[in-house]
Structure formats: structure tokens, C-alpha cells
Amino acid sequence: MNRANDLFVANVRAFTVGEAPYIDVVIEHAESGETFNGTTMSCYATRSNIGLTRDLNSIKRIQRVMPKVIGTAGDVVSIYVGTKTTPEGTTTFSGPFSFTIGTDYKIDCRVSWRWITIRMEYAGANTVRLAGYDLEFMQDGWR
């Protein structure tokens, strides 16, 4: 078996607890090729507990997400913006917001709360790379 051409599926979840960053990675060995047992694979990247400012009690309003995605023009990445009151709380997601590679440079949303989570998903047979993203936001007060 030539492992150099085998496909591995990785689910990465990055988050912070206080000031310390944590990343959870699960890697599963799939088969060679672009599918997993004949089914198109999907992948996602999630960044949780984004405080955005030093004042963690303030409400932040996310207006735009500008992902830096490299991939095949026309492929669609689904973006979810999640919110929660505390880092340990339950995340409520808004979306999906569709981002078309090669056409879009941003998604517009109006999502507010203290802690923000960004989740990007892709399901397809092509290669997609997420190099990062920018968030446009404003401080929306204290509650």
C-alpha cells in the first residue's frame, strides 16, 4: 500500500480557553482518491470562543465575514456564524451563508452576542484551502 497517495480526513477544531489556544484534530485514514467509500467527502473548520475585544462582556455585531479561500472557481463553501453568552454555553448558529469561490469576497450577516464561533464547511471533490478570514464587526453595547 502506497500511503503517499492515500487520503486522510482531518477534522480540526480550534478554540481558546481564557488566553490559551487549543486545537483538537481527528485524523481518519480514508481510501485513495477523492471519495470516502464512493461518497463525496465533506470537511469543516471551526474557530470557537472568539472574544474579539478585551472587554469580554460587550456585545459584538458581526457584519461581514471575508474568508481567504483558495479552490476551484464556482465551488461553494458554507459559512455559519455562531453566538453564545459564555465560553461554556451552547452555540446558536446562523446560516449557512454561501460563499462562491472565484465570485464572492465576503458574506454579509448581522449576528450579535458576546462570544462568536465561525464554522466553514465544504462538500465536493475538489481541493479547497482556507488560509484565514477577516471579520468586520462593531461593538454593540453591553447587556
Side-chain angles (χ1 to χ4, degrees):
M1 177 187 258
N2 181 1
R3 293 212 177 254
N5 293 325
D6 285 357
L7 182 65
F8 289 84
V9 178
N11 291 325
V12 179
R13 189 173 71 116
F15 58 95
T16 58
V17 175
E19 298 284 325
Y22 290 91
I23 298 177
D24 290 339
V25 178
V26 177
I27 299 177
E28 301 171 359
H29 181 250
E31 61 188 43
S32 295
E34 302 281 338
T35 62
F36 187 74
N37 198 23
T39 304
T40 301
M41 289 186 284
S42 62
C43 61
Y44 67 90
T46 300
R47 173 73 164 86
S48 300
N49 295 342
I50 305 169
L52 293 176
T53 64
R54 289 182 182 252
D55 183 3
L56 301 178
N57 287 322
S58 66
I59 305 298
K60 293 84 172 179
R61 179 183 300 173
I62 305 297
Q63 296 174 315
R64 290 185 177 144
V65 178
M66 293 158 281
K68 296 172 175 70
V69 178
I70 301 165
T72 304
D75 281 358
V76 175
V77 175
S78 297
I79 300 173
Y80 298 83
V81 181
T83 59
K84 57 185 167 180
T85 306
T86 64
E88 300 81 22
T90 303
T91 302
T92 303
F93 283 99
S94 296
F97 303 98
S98 296
F99 178 84
T100 304
I101 299 170
T103 302
D104 297 332
Y105 73 94
K106 62 159 175 80
I107 59 110
D108 292 315
C109 60
R110 288 184 176 83
V111 179
S112 299
W113 211 236
R114 287 187 179 93
W115 296 92
I116 307 298
T117 298
I118 302 292
R119 180 181 176 101
M120 299 187 192
E121 296 180 352
Y122 173 74
N126 296 316
T127 300
V128 172
R129 288 184 235 162
L130 174 61
Y133 56 88
D134 292 325
L135 298 175
E136 182 177 304
F137 73 97
M138 62 186 295
Q139 204 159 347
D140 202 23
W142 296 265
R143 293 187 183 124

